[in-house]
Amino acid sequence: MGEATVKSLEGRTAATPSPMPDGGGVRARLRAPRSPRIWFEILLIGVSYWTYSLIRNAVPEQKAQALRNADWIWQAEDALGLAFEQTVNHAVNSVTWLIVSMNYYYATLHFVVTIGVLVWLYRWQPGRYAASRTVLFATTGVALVGYYLYPLAPPRLMNGQNFVDTVLVHHTWGSMASGNLKHMSNQYAAMPSMHIGWSLWCGLIIFALASAPWARVLGLLYPAATLVVIVATANHFWLDAVGGMMCLAFGFAVSYVWYGALPQGLPKLVEPAKPVARGGPDGPPPSSEADRDPAAEKVSSGM
């Protein structure tokens, strides 16, 4: 449509903005930090996790291929001189209180800490919430591709390697990967490790955004402890953790492209939206005697 023109009092032609929305402006509004809405976020997280679980568990298990891939991973780590998972698994399993604690850690903190960080962002860092949440969602989404393309058995399900399934041995509850709950989850979706992807997301977000030094230290310790737990419980190879890190890097890249900055580069708080005045961005039309232009009145009266 272009721009409409109007004649001013001096006879000059002035341009007025076209009423058609600017595509760049729409994108800028979508990218701009805004206050998250609690009902929308709860719905989004619930639907997204349900979809993730549905797709992850619907991927054909391909047991034979998953076991072959596990053998290849184990051989590759051995060639690198870094096949230490079995040693860690057996050593930690010999300390009952420690391995039981790790079993519960594996089953619960994966969800509890991630939700806790989301709540913290929502409440105290609303300007960075959407970008941080986008990182997490993109990370999880690309992990589904890994589950489909590279089925992988966890070490505890390998044939002939003598790994200890610590949940079965110590009869702890809560793990979707062992015991009575194992039929509810795809057992051959170990690559990439979302325990690492999510815990590292939590750790980096806390380290980058928290102000208390002790919180930043805990943020860094959390993914490190998670790495020890996934190896000690024989649920993952350390290379699965590398896969999780790569997925997280992808998630940060997606968020950066969309928002133009990493979460810590965005404002902590969201400025309230400015109300749009009636009559367009240039202000409301004159409606009272005081608002009228005297020169315009003289022109209209014939002067």
Side-chain angles (χ1 to χ4, degrees):
M1 283 183 63
E3 294 181 334
T5 59
V6 295
K7 190 78 77 174
S8 67
L9 293 176
E10 293 80 13
R12 292 175 297 182
T13 300
T16 59
S18 168
M20 293 295 290
D22 186 326
V26 172
R27 186 182 180 192
R29 287 194 296 273
L30 290 174
R31 294 172 64 182
R34 65 187 65 189
S35 296
R37 299 178 180 177
I38 184 65
W39 64 266
F40 176 78
E41 295 303 326
I42 292 175
L43 180 63
L44 180 63
I45 292 171
V47 171
S48 298
Y49 185 74
W50 175 80
T51 303
Y52 164 78
S53 299
L54 186 67
I55 295 175
R56 179 182 185 272
N57 295 336
V59 173
E61 290 195 350
Q62 303 175 351
K63 179 178 179 179
Q65 183 60 48
L67 289 170
R68 286 195 295 270
N69 289 340
D71 288 337
W72 186 91
I73 290 285
W74 186 242
Q75 291 168 8
E77 290 185 352
D78 187 55
L80 293 171
L82 295 172
F84 53 75
E85 288 91 343
Q86 190 174 94
T87 300
V88 174
N89 173 238
H90 284 220
V92 178
N93 184 66
S94 64
V95 184
T96 303
W97 68 266
L98 181 58
I99 193 60
V100 168
S101 299
M102 288 188 174
N103 284 342
Y104 288 126
Y105 179 116
Y106 184 88
T108 59
L109 293 192
H110 179 54
F111 302 102
V112 172
V113 176
T114 304
I115 293 173
V117 172
L118 285 170
V119 171
W120 172 68
L121 288 168
Y122 178 91
R123 179 63 180 84
W124 284 281
Q125 309 265 347
R128 297 159 174 166
Y129 175 86
S132 301
R133 183 245 289 145
T134 298
V135 175
L136 184 63
F137 279 36
T139 299
T140 306
V142 76
L144 292 172
V145 179
Y147 300 146
Y148 184 84
L149 296 178
Y150 197 78
L152 180 66
R156 60 186 175 75
L157 293 182
M158 291 179 68
N159 294 323
Q161 294 300 332
N162 197 32
F163 280 95
V164 178
D165 189 331
T166 59
V167 171
L168 287 179
V169 169
H170 298 280
H171 308 288
T172 50
W173 56 266
S175 174
M176 298 293 289
S178 298
N180 295 330
L181 298 177
K182 66 182 180 180
H183 300 296
M184 298 174 61
S185 178
N186 183 3
Q187 297 298 289
Y188 302 101
M191 172 68 82
S193 168
M194 280 299 93
H195 272 75
I196 291 299
W198 288 15
S199 66
L200 189 57
W201 173 84
C202 293
L204 292 177
I205 290 295
I206 293 172
F207 180 78
L209 302 183
S211 56
W214 62 266
R216 301 180 71 190
V217 171
L218 287 179
L220 294 180
L221 289 177
Y222 176 52
T226 300
L227 177 60
V228 175
V229 167
I230 67 172
V231 170
T233 57
N235 279 295
H236 288 283
F237 298 98
W238 66 262
L239 279 177
D240 300 343
V242 174
M245 295 176 189
M246 293 173 64
C247 289
L248 183 64
F250 173 83
F252 271 108
V254 169
S255 183
Y256 181 84
V257 168
W258 181 252
Y259 290 98
L262 295 174
Q264 62 267 29
L266 296 171
K268 178 178 179 179
L269 303 178
V270 180
E271 295 183 4
K274 296 180 180 179
V276 178
R278 292 179 300 167
D282 294 328
S287 58
S288 67
E289 293 295 331
D291 292 332
R292 293 197 181 103
D293 184 354
E297 289 184 352
K298 293 179 180 180
V299 172
S300 63
S301 63
M303 283 192 65

